[in-house]
Structure formats: structure tokens, C-alpha cells
Amino acid sequence: MSKITYREALNQAMAEEMSRDKNVFLMGEEVAEYNGAYKVSQGLLDKFGPKRVIDTPITELGFAGLGVGAAMTGLRPVIEFMTWNFAMLALDQIVNAAAKMKYMSGGQYSVPMVFRGAGGSAARVGAQHSQSLENWMANVPGLKVVMPSNPADAKGLLKASIRDNDTVVFIENEINYGDVGEVPDEEYIIPLGKADVKRAGSDVTIVAHSRMTGFALTAAKELAKEGIEAEIIDPRTIRPLDENTIITSVAKTNCAVVVEEGWRFAGIGAEISARIMERAFDDLDSPVIRVTGKDVPMPYAANLEALALPSVRDIVEAARTACGRA
Amino acid sequence: MQVAGNDTLGHHSQVIIQYFFAGGDMSAKQKQDAGITHEGIFFAQEQLHEMHDQMLFIRRFEEKAGQMYGLKKIGGFCHLCNGQEAVCVGMQHAAEATDYMMTSYRDHGHILARGSDPTAVMAELLGRAGGVVKGKGGSMHMFDADKNFAGGNGIVGEQVPIGLGFGFSSWYKEDGRVTICIMGDGGINQGAVYESFNMAALWKLPIVFMVENNQYAMGTSLDRASAETQLFKRGISFKIPGMKIDGMDVLEFEKKMSEAIEHARSGKGPILVEAMTYRYRGHSMSDPATYRTREEVDEWRTGRDPIARLQAQMIEAGLATEDSFKQKDRDIKKEVAAIAKAAEAQPEPDAAELWTDIYTDPIEGAYPYPGKVG
Ligand SMILES: Cc1ncc(C[n+]2csc(CCOP(=O)(O)OP(=O)(O)O)c2C)c(N)n1
Ligand SMILES: [Mg+2]
């Protein structure tokens, strides 16, 4: 095991996959000479040269489509969006091209590629640079959506995503980039579609992904002081969702809280709550509670920004209510 | 000059081929006669017949599609390319079979010219199991990976960044292929096109961007949509050279397109070709095309028709007669009728096909799994 950052873990994943497969290339804004806007691609240009680590103009729709076309010819593009906010300009290629190409072509063309970059709320950057849009992506058949919450998962999941034969939307978290965690020294892959129980507990199931996993783990410590043992599940892959791990947990705890940074309406929490209702209704002692971002564009002022986001306290309170200990 | 191999559309006479290749027995005069020289380029009669037959086949195929649509056997949107056949065919004769190609939803003529099985194309229009994409795409989404034909895209301009990616791949793999990326005069106004022009030029990718300027985007004429109506100039600020070609003259189109492809293949970077053409029918089947005058349509239809033009040239060169063309037309009509019948006789796709081709690696045990919801 080595202690490395989330950012370094992603970097190692790309470096290892690029060494393994010459068809893998990295393309995006500032990925090469600048070493990445968030330094995720640090050193890759030196290691792999300008043919495989390519700086683009600021042209998201264009280079997203370039990735789709290249993938259709058998290359394995890793397309970096500086942040997912900017991927909105490329939605046509992600949703209308990448996700549907295999189906529309009757299986003749597949699009094995990764769209990756920072998502979720950032700090003090206002409404356009701070939002969670994974539910948009997770709604689309043909896409897989992956969101790691720690360095070890980031590395193993990114390697799996690059090797995957479908289009993977890989959403990193800007605030987590500097987080340090233990990462295995030997090569490993974390399969897509597998949740991870980050903390075992018998009183309440808390499902949380990306940065909210860390919030939930902190909340679990608070709850433990009160004698409430929370089970924390990180789906890691949002689509397709390892719902069996969630359902199994709910069968044990009989209540659940679903946490997400994004907006409430038609969010990931809505989907997970619905699945718990559909598959584990009889196991529930209380309604599933959602903890979500507030239904507002992200404000700039520090106090307002804090109010807009889910807090550890919100999770603690929701957990208490869910298991009847409020 | 390379002739795209094409079994399904090739109707050239064995006799003529044998005569032509009998070479040694022919006098220099006879050799010269067995073809047409257009602006310094010699087209052997074998190739001329093939081009003619392919254009006529596409024309009759589209007419059949129009009929089938009228009978409600084809659903949804259906965009015919009558009038634009010389562009489809000339391009295929200029390109190598290994070159990549992608276009918009007006794709029947292109995929037929590319050499895909016409029965599979008709079956696709009819939503049948044996369609080129198993009945999952329909008129707008025709693909044939074996023929390097990458769609069939319904979002105006979407295929242009995708074509950029195919061109990038050839640059990356150094495989010597050229990508021919086709768009309409309406499509060229999409921002994605200029993003693609910029990157293609920046990295000198082997791409021919080809705009089929049929003068209208649905009901919007070119001059109502474009500040610069000389579309071949649209690449200037990206240093992409432009060529304007008469898309109603298959020989001219083949010649100039060959030059454009050669430009891209030789490592000089992308080139923009503007093909001047015209669609005889409405934008789609529901369009009565009241935004243009009968005179205008007639001017193109009777004055510049690419099939009539080649026929006249071939008759003048003594390579065919009016009667032989009439006979050919009867044969092609029969063939198209037989194709439509065969396609219609096919079953609809199996219900299980609803759930296939969504993922290459669906993940067992995770939700949603194709076909297992609930
Ligand atoms: C992004 C997008 N906007 C609008 C449409 C609707 N639409 C379909 S075809 C078309 C006109 C395109 O004309 P042109 O590019 O000249 O191609 P042509 O039909 O003449 O071949 C429009 C507006 C669409 N399919 N996609
Ligand atoms: Mg047009």
C-alpha cells in the first residue's frame, strides 16, 4: 500500500493503461503541456509524447465527437473535460452519438471510450462551475456512469473504465483531488457495477456517492456516539447500479437515507428511493429519506453556498429520523 | 483511377468488358473510342456503364421508397436524394473502399453507392429483420461497417465531429485512409462544423469535408441562412482550401473529388468540397416544397439531370443507344421491384432485439440490465 492523492491515483490509472494499450490516448484542454488544469495528467506528455497526450482548442463538442469517431475505429479515447460543467456543450455527442451508436448501427459500431473530468460542487465559484449533473447522464441507456469517492477506487475504477468496451462517463470530484488514501501497490481493477460497503452497521443504511461518501462516513462517527450504527454504501458506479448491495443492507437495517450533492428533483436519490420501495418495501420500517442539494443555482457567498449543500449534520439528522431515534 | 468494387449495382455488360480488355487486338483508335475523356481524364466504358447504372439504380430505388412510403409501408422521416445521384456515385468512384464515409439522414444514395446490399437497405426502410442495421435505425440511420460507412446521423451536423475522429484515427494509426465527411448546406451552419474544421486543419488530418449544396435546408434557401453563400469558402479562416464542383456531372465530380481525396491522402490536411446539386423531391415525404418555383425545379430536373447528361455523353461517344438505356431502365425497375418484394417478405425484427446492442458488456446483477427491468 502507498499513500497517494486522488489526483495521483487517476494519473497512475491513465499511465498504466496507456503503457498497456497503445490505442489509449488522452485528449482535452490543457492536458498536455500545462499538465492538466487540475494536474491529473501531470507528466503524461513527457511519458507518452504529443501523439498520445493531446491539447485541444476550447471546443468541447468538437473533441467529444472526435473521441466518438476515434472509438468507432477501435481506438480507446480518454476525453477530459476540464469540468463536467463544460461537458454540457458536448451533450449531443455524449447522448445522441456515443450512447446510441451501437444500437442505431445494429451492433456494428461500438464506442469504447471514457469521458472524464471534475464534477460536483467546487468551492466559491458560483452557479456555472458548481453543480452535479450525473443524473442527466445516468438517465441514458448506452452510458455507464462512474463516480469514485477515494483514491483507491479512483484508480481501480478508471482502469476498468478505460478497458470497458462501452462509453463510460467518469465523474471525478474537484474537491477530492487532493485527498490522500491508501492505494495497493500491485495492479488491480475494480469492476464497474459493484458497490462498496464503506462501513458496516446494523441500524440505518446510508447510500452516498462521490464526495458525499466522505460526509456520510463522518456522519456515521457522530451517529456511533449516540449508539446508532450506520452502514455506508458507496455505489461507485451510478449506472448500472449495484442495487442488490443496497437492498441487502436495507433488509438488515430496515431503513435508509440516500445522500447526493445534486438537485432533488429526478435525482439519483429519487431513483434509489424508488428502487428500495419497489424491491424492499416490506423491509422498510420508515420512509426512505433523501438528503440533497437545495433546489437553487449555487450561490457565491460562503454562508449561502454552505446552505445550498448537504451537510454532515443533515445526514446525521436524517439517519436519526429514519431509524426512529430523532 | 480506382473503381469501387460493386457487385450489387454493377450491371455492365460482359461483352463490353471483354471487348475492352481484348486490348492487343484493338487499334489505337478503337481503344480511345471505348470510353470518354473528360478534361484530360479517361473514363473507360466499363466504368461509365457502372456509374450510369448506379445512378439510375439509386433513382429508381428512391422512387420505389417514395411509393412504399405513400403506401405507409415506410414510417417516420424519409429523405430521398433524387437529383443528387452524381454526388453519391462520383464520390464512390473517387474513393477507396477502405476510406471512411459518414453523412446525414439523407443517406440511401450514399450507402447504395458504397456497395451495401440494396435489399438490406430497403428492408431497413421497411423496419425488417434483415435491414442493414436490423431494423433499428430506419431511413436516417444506415450503417455498414464492412463498407466503412459510418452513418446515417439524424442530428444535423453531428457526423462532422465524428468524421473528425475517424480522420484523427487515420492520423494516429497512420493507415493511409481518407475520411469523407458529408453534410448539407444547412448542416454547415452548425458550430460543431467549425470546431471540426479548426482541429482538422490544426492537426492536418486526412479529411475531405463535403457539403452537398442542394440549395435548401428544409424550406430555408441558402441565401436566407448563409451570410457567405459560396460555401467552399467557409474553410478559409481555418486555412482549409475549398473546391466548388458541379455535382450534376458525374465525370466532373469524380475527377475533382479524386483530386480532393488525393490532397487529403497526401498529408496536406483537410479540404472542403462544395458539391452543387439539387434535390428534386421535397425535404422529406411530408414536404410539398412550395417554397420554390416549378421553373426552378424544371431548370435542374430537365436542364441538368446527371443521368440524362451521362446518357447523352455515352450515346454521343457510341457507347450506348437510347434503346439500350431504355432496356437498362426496364431491367433496373424490375430489379428494384424484386428487391422491394424480397425486403417486404422479411419478418419484422424479433422482439428480443429490443434489448440487444445497447452495451457491449452489460453488467449482470446491476440495474438497469437490458431486458430485465423491475
Ligand atoms: C440539430 C438539428 N436541428 C434541426 C433538425 C431538423 N432538420 C432536419 S433536416 C434539416 C435541414 C437540413 O438541411 P441540409 O443540411 O441542407 O441537408 P439536406 O436536407 O438538404 O440534405 C433540419 C432543420 C435536426 N435534425 N437536427
Ligand atoms: Mg440542403
Side-chain angles (χ1 to χ4, degrees):
Chain A
M1 288 283 187
S2 303
K3 276 195 182 291
I4 61 169
T5 62
Y6 185 98
R7 154 188 301 121
E8 286 162 341
L10 295 165
N11 180 283
Q12 286 182 6
M14 288 193 285
E16 287 178 19
E17 292 310 298
M18 289 178 75
S19 300
R20 186 186 58 79
D21 181 353
K22 66 176 184 353
N23 286 332
V24 178
F25 67 92
L26 172 66
M27 173 176 273
E29 292 157 17
E30 311 291 0
V31 297
E33 300 200 2
Y34 192 80
N35 282 301
Y38 296 95
K39 305 301 169 211
V40 173
S41 56
Q42 183 93 43
L44 295 183
L45 173 64
D46 285 347
K47 216 175 273 175
F48 297 101
K51 192 161 185 175
R52 299 187 62 198
V53 183
I54 304 146
D55 279 328
T56 64
I58 305 160
T59 187
E60 281 81 7
L61 178 56
F63 67 73
L66 186 154
V68 174
M72 288 168 75
T73 72
L75 295 182
R76 300 231 157 210
V78 177
I79 298 294
E80 175 174 316
F81 293 118
M82 197 178 279
T83 78
W84 269 93
N85 305 292
F86 315 139
M88 298 305 100
L89 281 81
L91 270 192
D92 177 51
Q93 288 293 334
I94 301 171
V95 176
N96 270 322
K100 297 170 184 167
M101 199 58 75
K102 190 175 181 74
Y103 201 81
M104 290 195 305
S105 68
Q108 294 181 67
Y109 284 102
S110 51
V111 186
M113 67 181 296
V114 177
F115 290 110
R116 51 158 289 272
S121 64
R124 309 296 309 285
V125 290
Q128 292 182 331
H129 285 71
S130 204
Q131 58 193 327
S132 301
L133 302 169
E134 58 267 25
N135 56 327
W136 294 22
M137 300 291 103
N139 191 234
V140 183
L143 298 180
K144 291 173 179 168
V145 182
V146 177
M147 295 185 77
S149 67
N150 66 35
D153 286 354
K155 182 172 177 183
L157 288 167
L158 183 53
K159 282 169 69 82
S161 299
I162 293 171
R163 292 185 192 191
D164 198 90
N165 292 311
D166 296 307
T167 303
V168 178
V169 166
F170 192 94
I171 306 179
E172 298 150 18
N173 189 284
E174 188 176 326
I175 291 175
N176 287 146
Y177 277 139
D179 290 1
V180 176
E182 296 263 345
V183 171
D185 293 320
E186 66 283 0
E187 183 170 39
Y188 68 101
I189 295 276
I190 296 177
L192 304 189
K194 292 270 176 292
D196 192 34
V197 178
K198 297 293 185 196
R199 182 187 194 278
S202 52
D203 297 325
V204 56
T205 299
I206 303 179
V207 185
H209 64 274
S210 193
R211 189 157 82 102
M212 290 299 112
T213 309
F215 279 40
L217 286 166
T218 307
K221 280 191 200 141
E222 297 279 313
L223 291 163
K225 288 182 201 154
E226 302 167 18
I228 299 173
E229 293 301 330
E231 180 145 297
I232 311 297
I233 297 174
D234 175 4
R236 302 194 292 195
T237 300
I238 305 298
R239 181 196 180 98
L241 182 74
D242 176 7
E243 57 174 5
N244 290 336
T245 299
I246 298 169
I247 301 301
T248 305
S249 178
V250 171
K252 177 172 68 176
T253 62
N254 308 113
C255 61
V257 172
V258 188
V259 189
E260 71 184 305
E261 219 175 55
W263 295 305
R264 191 176 188 86
F265 192 95
I268 301 297
E271 181 62 37
I272 293 177
S273 308
R275 288 308 285 172
I276 294 172
M277 185 272 288
E278 285 168 348
R279 288 198 49 198
F281 187 76
D282 292 337
D283 288 327
L284 285 175
D285 287 343
S286 62
V288 177
I289 298 179
R290 284 186 283 161
V291 177
T292 68
K294 304 296 183 301
D295 197 33
V296 296
M298 188 65 74
Y300 167 71
N303 65 326
L304 297 181
E305 185 183 65
L307 284 171
L309 288 167
S311 65
V312 170
R313 193 189 171 80
D314 293 337
I315 301 170
V316 169
E317 282 170 6
R320 284 192 197 123
T321 306
C323 63
R325 311 259 290 266
Chain B
M1 199 71 30
Q2 187 260 347
V3 183
N6 190 331
D7 295 328
T8 41
L9 293 183
H11 302 279
H12 42 249
S13 146
Q14 279 305 115
V15 182
I16 293 169
I17 294 170
Q18 277 162 14
Y19 168 70
F20 181 61
F21 285 107
D25 300 336
M26 282 192 290
S27 68
K29 170 87 177 73
Q30 277 174 315
K31 240 191 236 176
Q32 214 183 339
D33 283 348
I36 294 173
T37 300
H38 173 82
E39 309 234 330
I41 301 293
F42 179 73
F43 290 88
Q45 61 176 337
E46 163 206 358
Q47 187 180 3
L48 293 165
H49 277 284
E50 187 172 289
M51 285 174 151
H52 168 268
D53 296 353
Q54 288 175 336
M55 289 197 293
L56 190 58
F57 184 90
I58 292 169
R59 173 81 47 96
R60 298 301 176 226
F61 185 98
E62 292 290 67
E63 284 169 357
K64 191 73 188 173
Q67 267 175 29
M68 302 289 267
Y69 194 92
L71 295 169
K72 297 198 163 44
K73 291 177 178 174
I74 295 173
F77 295 137
C78 182
H79 309 88
L80 306 180
C81 70
N82 307 44
Q84 303 182 195
E85 298 89 349
V87 176
C88 304
V89 170
M91 180 161 57
Q92 294 306 336
H93 282 254
E96 302 280 346
T98 47
D99 289 339
Y100 294 122
M101 203 157 293
M102 63 285 305
T103 186
S104 69
Y105 46 82
R106 199 176 299 284
D107 55 1
H108 313 168
H110 287 300
I111 197 168
L112 289 170
R114 193 70 179 149
S116 294
D117 173 13
T119 307
V121 175
M122 185 59 86
E124 191 57 42
L125 292 172
L126 296 167
R128 294 300 202 266
V132 270
V133 293
K134 306 195 281 190
K136 290 180 170 183
S139 167
M140 296 190 286
H141 306 300
M142 301 271 182
F143 292 78
D144 192 339
D146 289 343
K147 305 275 183 201
N148 295 304
F149 188 82
N153 290 279
I155 305 296
V156 169
E158 179 181 60
Q159 71 278 14
V160 183
I162 293 173
L164 177 77
F166 277 77
F168 174 88
S169 174
S170 292
W171 170 83
Y172 191 90
K173 295 178 182 168
E174 296 174 25
D175 62 12
R177 297 180 188 210
V178 168
T179 293
I180 299 162
C181 184
I182 308 164
M183 71 202 86
D185 53 287
I188 200 171
N189 290 319
Q190 288 283 27
V193 171
Y194 301 93
E195 299 191 21
S196 304
F197 281 3
N198 186 41
M199 284 183 275
L202 192 61
W203 300 324
K204 288 202 163 18
L205 303 183
I207 303 174
V208 178
F209 293 106
M210 207 271 281
V211 50
E212 287 178 305
N213 182 358
N214 61 10
Q215 343 267 329
Y216 291 88
M218 291 185 66
T220 306
S221 59
L222 184 61
D223 59 339
R224 291 204 298 124
S226 282
E228 172 54 86
T229 53
Q230 302 277 325
L231 299 179
F232 69 97
K233 294 182 182 167
R234 287 286 189 93
I236 288 175
S237 64
F238 306 95
K239 300 186 176 169
I240 298 179
M243 276 170 98
K244 183 173 184 158
I245 315 182
D246 183 353
M248 304 302 275
D249 178 346
V250 72
L251 303 186
E252 173 71 1
F253 195 78
E254 197 278 354
K255 173 181 184 283
K256 293 276 174 60
M257 195 66 188
S258 294
E259 291 168 20
I261 291 171
E262 174 51 29
H263 173 98
R265 207 184 305 284
S266 68
K268 294 191 190 119
I271 186 165
L272 173 59
V273 167
E274 178 182 7
M276 300 307 296
T277 186
Y278 201 79
R279 63 166 157 74
Y280 295 165
R281 307 285 295 256
H283 167 72
S284 62
M285 300 309 298
S286 60
D287 172 21
T290 49
Y291 43 82
R292 51 189 200 184
T293 62
R294 173 149 288 287
E295 292 71 44
E296 180 186 302
V297 179
D298 282 349
E299 190 190 314
W300 286 85
R301 216 177 172 140
T302 49
R304 301 181 63 174
D305 184 74
I307 298 172
R309 178 183 200 138
L310 183 61
Q311 287 184 347
Q313 286 171 303
M314 288 174 71
I315 290 168
E316 196 191 306
L319 304 175
T321 62
E322 247 168 65
D323 281 345
S324 71
F325 281 134
K326 276 190 186 137
Q327 185 55 45
K328 176 61 69 183
D329 196 16
R330 280 193 291 272
D331 292 347
I332 287 178
K333 279 180 175 157
K334 245 187 245 163
E335 190 185 346
V336 169
I339 283 167
K341 209 169 159 200
E344 215 185 336
Q346 288 184 13
E348 290 187 307
D350 194 277
E353 280 293 341
L354 181 65
W355 296 107
T356 63
D357 305 322
I358 300 166
Y359 294 101
T360 303
D361 300 325
I363 299 172
E364 199 75 53
Y367 161 83
Y369 186 90
K372 274 192 223 163
V373 177

